[in-house]
Amino acid sequence: MWMFVFWVLPLVAIVYLGWHIWTILPWSGWWKSGVITLGVGCFLLLFLSVARRFDTLPLPVAQLAYEVGTSSIMVMLYLVMLFLVLDLGRLLHLVPRSLLYHNWQSALAIFVLIFAVFLYGNLHYKNKVRVSLELPTQKPLAKDYRVVMLSDLHLGYHNPRKELARWVDMINAEQPDFILIAGDIIDGSMRPLIEEKMTEEFHRLKAPVYASLGNHEYYAGSPEAQQFFRDAGIRLLIDEAAVIDSSIVIIGRDDRTNMRRKPVKDLVAAANVQCSMLNVQSYTIILDHQPYNLERSEQAGADFQLSGHTHRGQVWPISWITDAIYECSWGSHQRGNTRFYVSSGIGIWGGKYRIGTQSEYVVATIRRE
């Protein structure tokens, strides 16, 4: 199934778009061939980025190649949707045939429309939405806690140190008691994080950071990623718990990529034993990157779970697919006494576009009722 999605569908889309570009452009065959070859070349950069072929290139060149390659799949999606609408219009005799054959006005209009859509998507991505969240509880707390929650930073070629520095300033401005990150801090290659010394930005954070692994940490190489977290001063929780002020227990689950990770009920039970030894009843938070099987956290008696991973599809209409796959693909959710928040991420994978979704960070207040 996944082989069909990642290989067959793009090939069909390339043939479909190639035919439309050939017929709509009023140029000679050489010029048309050049445009189509350029488009195919941009798309092939996507596979080179996934295969980590950019690590030997100069950093600015690698960053540009990554941006172009990962953006091409989104541009292809929107071009396919546009031409499908036009072809449907032709079948219904609503769109004249001349509009799609050797028509430079139509070609220019399509270019301007696609450019405008992705310009908006890029500007919308740069706008980080602040989400406020109230988490009342009847459990005893040492005080009210202000928490900044993030997921899916995807630091790497397309989210460089300059972008991370801006996010650190935003987090510090909230003056949190602690910071939670639900996985995918790293995008893929460790090279840009090391070369740009991104650990130095994490040391500017004025509150302790607790994080769980995501699937992209496994793509980057789990041992290397874990070393990066240690160097950055991040408390990485891999199927383990941390206690804050004898009031809050933070449980970080290993990512679902590891099929042998511990069940959430065992992690919560172990945390409860730890709390009983301290003679306290703590508020339990779970960091679990991928929001599958939410009922298990509810059954385990967790108070709150923070997840990410979905990006809510990044661009419409992929958001419809993530909404169909997950019980909750974005936002607040509740099962029984357990609250959930699935973040669409402050960063993003691939091309930096948000269409119909948002890049966000959550500012939560945990307070006793």
Side-chain angles (χ1 to χ4, degrees):
M1 177 61 183
W2 290 113
M3 185 68 68
F4 176 80
V5 171
F6 287 111
W7 291 102
V8 178
L9 283 183
L11 180 60
V12 172
I14 288 172
V15 173
Y16 178 70
L17 291 179
W19 175 75
H20 267 295
I21 291 171
W22 186 273
T23 57
I24 200 172
L25 291 177
W27 299 340
S28 67
W30 285 104
W31 282 102
K32 294 180 181 181
S33 299
V35 170
I36 294 171
T37 301
L38 178 63
V40 173
C42 290
F43 181 70
L44 290 177
L45 289 176
L46 170 65
F47 294 94
L48 293 176
S49 70
V50 172
R52 305 266 294 275
R53 300 298 185 184
F54 298 152
D55 286 354
T56 58
L57 298 176
L59 188 58
V61 176
Q63 289 171 335
L64 177 62
Y66 183 99
E67 292 279 6
V68 171
T70 53
S71 296
S72 66
I73 188 68
M74 299 180 189
V75 174
M76 178 187 295
L77 170 65
Y78 273 71
L79 281 173
V80 167
M81 290 194 302
L82 178 57
F83 279 119
L84 284 174
V85 170
L86 292 173
D87 285 341
L88 180 61
R90 279 187 56 204
L91 290 174
L92 299 176
H93 304 291
L94 299 175
V95 175
R97 181 180 183 276
S98 60
L99 198 68
L100 298 177
Y101 284 85
H102 305 292
N103 191 319
W104 69 266
Q105 292 98 333
S106 296
L108 179 61
I110 289 172
F111 173 80
V112 170
L113 176 61
I114 293 297
F115 180 83
V117 167
F118 281 93
L119 176 61
Y120 157 78
N122 180 254
L123 294 175
H124 188 46
Y125 167 75
K126 293 177 180 178
N127 175 41
K128 306 304 177 183
V129 178
R130 181 187 186 276
V131 177
S132 295
L133 190 64
E134 292 289 328
L135 297 174
T137 178
Q138 295 182 355
K139 292 184 176 179
L141 298 175
K143 63 174 185 176
D144 290 353
Y145 290 89
R146 188 178 183 86
V147 189
V148 172
M149 301 180 180
L150 312 164
S151 77
D152 300 278
L153 282 68
H154 287 275
L155 299 174
Y157 287 121
H158 64 317
N159 283 317
R161 177 171 177 171
K162 180 180 179 180
E163 187 74 0
L164 174 60
R166 185 167 77 97
W167 300 347
V168 168
D169 291 339
M170 293 164 55
I171 295 169
N172 284 336
E174 299 292 343
Q175 299 181 327
D177 293 294
F178 57 91
I179 301 160
L180 301 178
I181 308 179
D184 278 5
I185 295 175
I186 301 166
D187 184 63
S189 173
M190 294 296 302
R191 179 263 183 120
L193 283 76
I194 295 171
E195 195 165 316
E196 291 199 293
K197 300 179 180 179
M198 293 194 195
T199 54
E200 296 177 357
E201 293 300 329
F202 283 103
H203 284 292
R204 290 202 301 114
L205 290 169
K206 298 177 182 178
V209 183
Y210 301 89
S212 62
L213 289 174
N215 54 306
H216 276 256
E217 272 78 37
Y218 278 92
Y219 303 158
S222 185
E224 293 84 356
Q226 292 182 39
Q227 183 61 50
F228 175 84
F229 292 141
R230 285 192 289 269
D231 294 341
I234 296 172
R235 176 74 184 276
L236 180 65
L237 301 173
I238 307 176
D239 282 350
E240 58 182 318
V243 180
I244 299 177
D245 297 339
S246 298
S247 294
I248 294 179
V249 172
I250 302 170
I251 299 173
R253 293 201 72 191
D254 198 349
D255 185 64
R256 192 167 179 261
T257 304
N258 179 10
M259 302 302 293
R260 294 177 296 178
R261 65 176 179 169
K262 294 180 181 179
V264 66
K265 64 177 182 179
D266 292 351
L267 296 174
V268 173
N272 289 337
V273 170
Q274 184 177 357
C275 290
S276 64
M277 294 175 63
L278 297 173
N279 197 28
V280 296
Q281 184 182 20
S282 296
Y283 186 87
T284 305
I285 298 175
I286 295 176
L287 303 179
D288 193 355
H289 178 63
Q290 302 190 45
Y292 289 98
N293 305 120
L294 302 186
E295 72 282 355
R296 295 178 183 176
S297 294
E298 175 199 1
Q299 293 164 1
D303 294 292
F304 177 77
Q305 176 174 310
L306 174 67
S307 297
H309 182 65
T310 70
H311 301 199
R312 211 194 172 202
Q314 297 188 187
V315 298
W316 177 89
I318 306 301
S319 53
W320 287 354
I321 298 176
T322 58
D323 288 348
I325 291 174
Y326 299 95
E327 177 181 338
C328 174
S329 71
W330 169 67
S332 292
H333 185 62
Q334 183 143 357
R335 290 182 63 98
N337 295 322
T338 305
R339 290 280 300 276
F340 298 84
Y341 193 88
V342 179
S343 174
S344 55
I346 193 170
I348 211 165
W349 172 86
K352 291 188 276 192
Y353 309 104
R354 287 281 190 179
I355 302 172
T357 66
Q358 66 187 30
S359 290
E360 64 181 22
Y361 64 101
V362 179
V363 181
T365 301
I366 307 174
R367 58 177 176 81
R368 185 174 183 182
E369 287 186 320

